[in-house]
Amino acid sequence: MKPEYKPLKELNDRTLKYKTKVKVIHKSTPQQSSNKPRYQRLLFKDDEGFTMKGALFDSDIEKYAEALECNVEYELLNAMIAAIPPQHASKPNEYSIIINAQEQISLLTIDATALGPQYQALATIPCDPFNTELMDILGVVISVAAPKAIYKSQGIEDSVREIYLTDHSYDHPFTISLWNDVLRTHEEALNSWADSFNVIGVLAVTGRSYKGFTLSSTTSTTIITNLKGEKADALRAWYVH
C-alpha cells in the first residue's frame, strides 16, 4: 500500500501529526543576522506543485548540509510548522517548515537529470510580474547600480540594488533586483563584478513589477560567482569578442 501523504496546501501551524513527500527545489547560502541565530532558507515543492518555505538554524545547518539536497525527494514526518510573521511573509497566512535535529527525514529518490542549476536563456524568460515560478539565470554582469533604500509604511525599509546581465540570446541588458538579505550577503562583491565582466549564476529569482518588469531575488536566491565550466567559458568568450 502506498503511504498517504498530506499535500503542502493542507499544512499549517495547527497540524501536529502528518507525513508529506516533498522535493527540495532551492537551498540558500547560510546567513547571519544581527542579534539572531544563523539560518538557512529552504523551499519545498510537492507532487501537486504547491510550495512551502523551510528553514534550518545554527548547528542544524551543518547537520543537514548533505542530508537535504536540491532536486531530491524526501519524506517528512511531523516536522514543526510555524506561521511566518506578516512583515516577512510574501502572501497572507504563509507557513514555514522548521527542520531540526529531531525531525524524521527519509530519502526517497534522486533525479539525476535535474541535479544542479537549470539555467534559462534570458530571451526565454516570460516578462510577467505575476509569474511566481522560480528561475535560474546565467549571465555576464555588465553594470551594477547604486544601492537604494525603499521606505514603506510603518517605518519599514527595504534595500535594493540592480544588476544588469546579458547573454548570447538577448540584445540589451536584463535587470535583476537584489533585495535585503541577498543584497547584504553579496554587497562587498558587487562593486567589482562589472569591472571584470564576471559570469555569475543567480538561482531562484522570480518576476516582479518594479519600475517595469524585472527579475527579483527571493528568500531562496543564491548567487554563484567565479563560475567555471563549458557554459560559463563560452558565455565569457562570446561577450569578450
Side-chain angles (χ1 to χ4, degrees):
M1 175 182 283
K2 293 183 177 180
E4 291 293 328
Y5 292 120
K6 203 170 187 68
L8 291 177
K9 65 180 180 181
E10 296 182 12
L11 301 181
N12 56 52
D13 57 350
R14 297 180 299 279
T15 307
L16 298 178
K17 294 185 177 181
Y18 70 93
K19 182 184 292 184
T20 189
K21 183 177 72 170
V22 294
K23 179 182 286 188
V24 180
I25 58 173
H26 281 289
K27 190 174 182 180
S28 73
T29 302
Q31 299 180 31
Q32 177 73 61
S33 293
S34 58
N35 302 319
K36 292 182 180 180
R38 199 160 53 99
Y39 64 93
Q40 185 174 32
R41 293 189 176 101
L42 306 167
L43 189 64
F44 298 107
K45 185 176 183 180
D46 65 16
D47 288 342
E48 296 184 10
F50 290 93
T51 60
M52 183 178 284
K53 295 175 182 178
L56 292 162
F57 294 96
D58 288 334
S59 61
D60 292 322
I61 296 173
E62 282 69 38
K63 175 179 173 61
Y64 290 102
E66 297 182 0
L68 282 173
E69 299 184 31
C70 283
N71 297 304
V72 178
E73 283 190 326
Y74 297 92
E75 181 182 273
L76 303 183
L77 180 64
N78 302 332
M80 175 184 172
I81 300 175
I84 298 176
Q87 65 269 28
H88 299 305
S90 54
K91 59 184 178 182
N93 301 317
E94 190 172 23
Y95 302 95
S96 176
I97 298 176
I98 309 301
I99 304 295
N100 59 44
Q102 284 72 48
E103 308 303 347
Q104 296 185 41
I105 300 175
S106 301
L107 173 66
L108 293 177
T109 61
I110 297 179
D111 181 359
T113 63
L115 295 177
Q118 304 297 297
Y119 292 120
Q120 288 186 232
L122 294 176
T124 67
I125 295 171
C127 294
D128 178 5
F130 301 103
N131 177 17
T132 59
E133 178 184 359
L134 296 178
M135 293 167 277
D136 300 336
I137 305 302
L138 180 72
V140 181
V141 182
I142 59 174
S143 182
V144 179
K148 298 177 184 178
I150 308 295
Y151 296 95
K152 302 192 297 186
S153 59
Q154 300 177 343
I156 298 174
E157 177 183 329
D158 281 335
S159 300
V160 63
R161 194 168 186 180
E162 296 166 333
I163 60 175
Y164 304 95
L165 304 183
T166 190
D167 71 5
H168 63 284
S169 73
Y170 213 64
D171 58 3
H172 58 275
F174 206 105
T175 304
I176 298 182
S177 301
L178 303 180
W179 294 85
N180 299 327
D181 287 347
V182 175
L183 171 58
R184 287 188 283 271
T185 298
H186 299 279
E187 196 164 15
E188 291 185 6
L190 281 167
N191 293 327
S192 64
W193 282 356
D195 296 338
S196 57
F197 307 117
N198 197 18
V199 175
I200 66 170
V202 189
L203 313 185
V205 291
T206 192
R208 181 170 180 172
S209 180
Y210 171 67
K211 299 196 305 184
F213 176 80
T214 71
L215 287 177
S216 285
S217 63
T218 67
T219 56
S220 301
T221 295
T222 301
I223 299 177
I224 305 173
T225 60
N226 301 315
L227 279 166
K228 305 295 182 183
E230 184 177 340
K231 286 186 177 180
D233 291 344
L235 186 56
R236 195 176 290 108
W238 163 81
Y239 186 76
V240 171
H241 293 95

